[in-house]
Amino acid sequence: GPLLETERFGRDYHFYASLPSTNRTAKELARQGAAEGTVVLAEEQTEGRGRLGRGWYSPPGLGIYFTVILRPAIPLGLAPQVTLLASVAVCKALETVAGVQPSIKWPNDVLLHGKKLCGTLTELNAEMEAVNYLVVGTGINVNQGPEDFPGEVAKVATSLYATTGEKVDRARLFAALLRFFEADYKHWLSAGFERLRSEWLERAAGMGTTVRVIAGQQEWIGRAEGIDSDGALLVRDGGGELRRLISGEVSLRPE
Ligand code: ATP
């Protein structure tokens, strides 16, 4: 539409009133050869997912649920940076369109006043240690009222409307998001992660604080100290050793 100011992102565009999961449909389209920048958008998701198989509550009409297909020519190890760059792009769109100051909880949660506003789930398909395609799925709570979240989710979630008391035009926010996402993605491909790393750190929540690290069956407590040049989280453990954590396997909890 007239709002869209991107070159590739959202130019191939699949809109659905309802989908089980935008990532799932995007993966099917990617397998069939969909172009980089293809967007899958749904008004609701009935089986929306977060990381580690957790659910993402996606009621109709109130949020933005979409997935972008990317085909970067990169080694597998760089893929986690895409989740971080997507979180930065979401923050810039929220700052510009809604005037809020979100923070990012590593690796993928965008928070307002400590509550979850947005989550990003990146899934990848690789051949021979190189990325074939990535799907980057994002769910944002926009116009939900505080009473619109079910009990368990209500404890951790917030929306723009619940925070500011103002409804936001989802099409405008979405267009801004695709614009920032595409610009940051192009910058990343040509110039690398360094600027995005700074932009991520400027917004990082919980740096310098004590966190509980949950990696499968293992749990330990340490102090979050930043992210390195690859986007791995740096946590100093009880023995004083600095450990690098890769997103995908690890969850953090405040301690
Ligand atoms: P963490 O990064 O803290 O380990 P996580 O990775 O489990 O959390 P996600 O995978 O991003 O978090 O999201 C799934 C979780 O988010 C669910 O377990 C639920 O608690 C919460 N959640 C579900 N739907 C929503 C929503 N619409 N808004 C905010 N939070 C939600």
Side-chain angles (χ1 to χ4, degrees):
L3 287 170
L4 198 60
E5 294 171 45
T6 56
E7 214 173 281
R8 311 276 305 271
F9 283 34
R11 294 296 163 184
D12 284 334
Y13 173 77
H14 301 256
F15 174 74
Y16 300 83
S18 178
L19 277 183
S21 144
T22 58
N23 268 25
R24 202 187 295 170
T25 298
K27 283 186 281 185
E28 278 166 31
L29 291 167
R31 274 197 291 276
Q32 295 160 15
E36 173 154 275
T38 298
V39 165
V40 176
L41 178 71
E43 190 68 351
E44 81 168 328
Q45 298 183 107
T46 54
E47 296 169 32
R49 276 175 311 119
R51 295 190 320 136
L52 308 170
R54 292 165 183 148
W56 188 265
Y57 177 66
S58 313
L62 300 172
I64 300 174
Y65 320 110
F66 74 103
T67 298
V68 183
I69 296 172
L70 300 176
R71 298 183 176 281
I74 55 163
L76 266 185
L78 296 187
Q81 295 176 8
V82 174
T83 300
L84 305 182
L85 97 79
S87 304
V88 168
V90 168
C91 286
K92 290 175 181 173
L94 292 166
E95 290 158 10
T96 307
V97 173
V100 293
Q101 286 203 296
S103 58
I104 308 173
K105 173 176 170 284
W106 186 91
N108 66 331
D109 291 339
V110 173
L111 311 177
L112 268 184
H113 306 298
K115 288 186 138 187
K116 216 183 281 204
L117 182 71
C118 166
T120 296
L121 176 65
T122 302
E123 296 179 86
L124 79 96
N125 178 280
E127 278 166 25
M128 312 282 283
E129 296 296 303
V131 170
N132 181 21
Y133 59 80
L134 289 165
V135 299
V136 185
T138 300
I140 309 177
N141 303 321
V142 182
N143 290 327
Q144 284 94 339
E147 69 291 343
D148 288 322
F149 294 107
E152 276 308 300
V153 176
K155 287 182 204 153
V156 297
T158 191
S159 71
L160 282 176
Y161 178 60
T163 307
T164 67
E166 282 175 44
K167 296 265 163 103
V168 173
D169 179 359
R170 287 178 299 153
R172 235 184 105 224
L173 178 59
F174 186 47
L177 217 164
L178 290 181
R179 181 161 54 82
F180 282 114
F181 193 4
E182 180 177 274
D184 286 342
Y185 177 67
K186 283 165 85 174
H187 175 86
W188 177 69
L189 286 179
S190 63
F193 188 58
E194 194 47 39
R195 192 196 80 197
L196 293 157
R197 176 177 176 269
S198 314
E199 291 181 333
W200 191 94
L201 281 169
E202 281 166 23
R203 296 170 174 86
M207 291 304 141
T209 70
T210 303
V211 293
R212 174 178 295 272
V213 177
I214 306 168
Q217 306 289 53
Q218 289 195 0
E219 290 196 20
W220 51 280
I221 289 171
R223 188 184 145 92
E225 297 201 347
I227 55 174
D228 71 8
S229 58
D230 293 332
L233 183 70
L234 300 172
V235 180
R236 194 166 301 276
D237 67 20
E241 194 177 326
L242 201 54
R243 300 220 228 161
R244 294 178 74 242
L245 307 182
I246 310 292
S247 65
E249 309 121 40
V250 177
S251 290
L252 290 187
R253 297 284 174 270
E255 179 64 28

